[in-house]
Amino acid sequence: MWVVMDSGMTNEQFGRVVEQYQKLVYTICYQMVRDHHEAQNLAQETFLSAYTHIDRCREEDMKPWLCRIASNKAKDYLKSAYVRRVQLAREDEDGQEAEFRSIQDPDGSPGDQLETSEGAEAIREMIRSLHEPYLKVSVLYFLEEKSVEEIALALGRPRKTVQTQLYRARLALQKMIKEGA
């Protein structure tokens, strides 16, 4: 039985849309998150969202609409507290962002999860050990999950200043992690 959506598109027609645009949607997600597994998840979320809101799009606007959804899903993922708190980017010698290293793996063994929770607590302690002007912005950003805009407003600092302080705090934290502090 085919379900006809408000836009007049059947499940079969939507299946063809998925086939037609799945590589494009995946590529957009991958270029933004640089993680194959997450890009696949985000591509699936994109098509799920598109399916549930198909009545908002005309067929001739499908490609840019899907691209926008994929881009927004990837941006939301990158802004998520999970990514900010749980994953720290390591930098290589050239200052380029290297592969993301996950601090917490939900699929790990209980022993791994114990080590992970201890590691997460160690990182929280490292954040709390930072000195001003990095302490407040780091606590608000990494632990309390506030946005840069919210932090700037709360501390009465310019947005650019908060971004710079977070960048420098991240470098300090990476140095502490590498030194095993």
Side-chain angles (χ1 to χ4, degrees), residues 52-65:
T52 58
H53 299 99
I54 197 71
D55 58 317
R56 297 181 185 174
C57 180
R58 296 183 319 212
E59 219 168 315
E60 58 270 13
D61 297 330
M62 188 65 64
K63 183 178 178 180
W65 186 63

Side-chain angles (χ1 to χ4, degrees), residues 120-139:
E121 183 56 38
I123 289 176
R124 283 191 286 275
E125 288 304 314
M126 287 179 200
I127 290 168
R128 291 184 192 109
S129 74
L130 291 171
H131 298 289
E132 284 304 334
Y134 312 118
L135 176 61
K136 286 180 185 169
V137 295
S138 296
V139 168

Side-chain angles (χ1 to χ4, degrees), residues 84-148:
R84 288 193 336 221
R85 250 185 339 146
V86 179
Q87 295 180 330
L88 294 176
R90 293 190 312 199
E91 293 188 357
D92 62 19
E93 295 78 35
D94 300 330
Q96 298 293 321
E97 243 182 44
E99 198 174 320
F100 280 101
R101 181 177 183 176
S102 178
I103 297 169
Q104 183 175 19
D105 179 7
D107 299 325
S109 70
D112 291 343
Q113 289 183 2
L114 176 61
E115 288 176 20
T116 296
S117 65
E118 290 170 357
E121 183 56 38
I123 289 176
R124 283 191 286 275
E125 288 304 314
M126 287 179 200
I127 290 168
R128 291 184 192 109
S129 74
L130 291 171
H131 298 289
E132 284 304 334
Y134 312 118
L135 176 61
K136 286 180 185 169
V137 295
S138 296
V139 168
L140 290 170
Y141 188 78
F142 294 111
L143 302 180
E144 295 183 20
E145 304 170 10
K146 304 288 185 196
S147 70
V148 171

Side-chain angles (χ1 to χ4, degrees), residues 26 29 35-47:
Y26 169 81
C29 294
D35 179 296
H36 292 289
H37 180 71
E38 285 305 325
Q40 289 173 340
N41 289 341
L42 292 167
Q44 288 179 356
E45 287 180 29
T46 297
F47 286 112

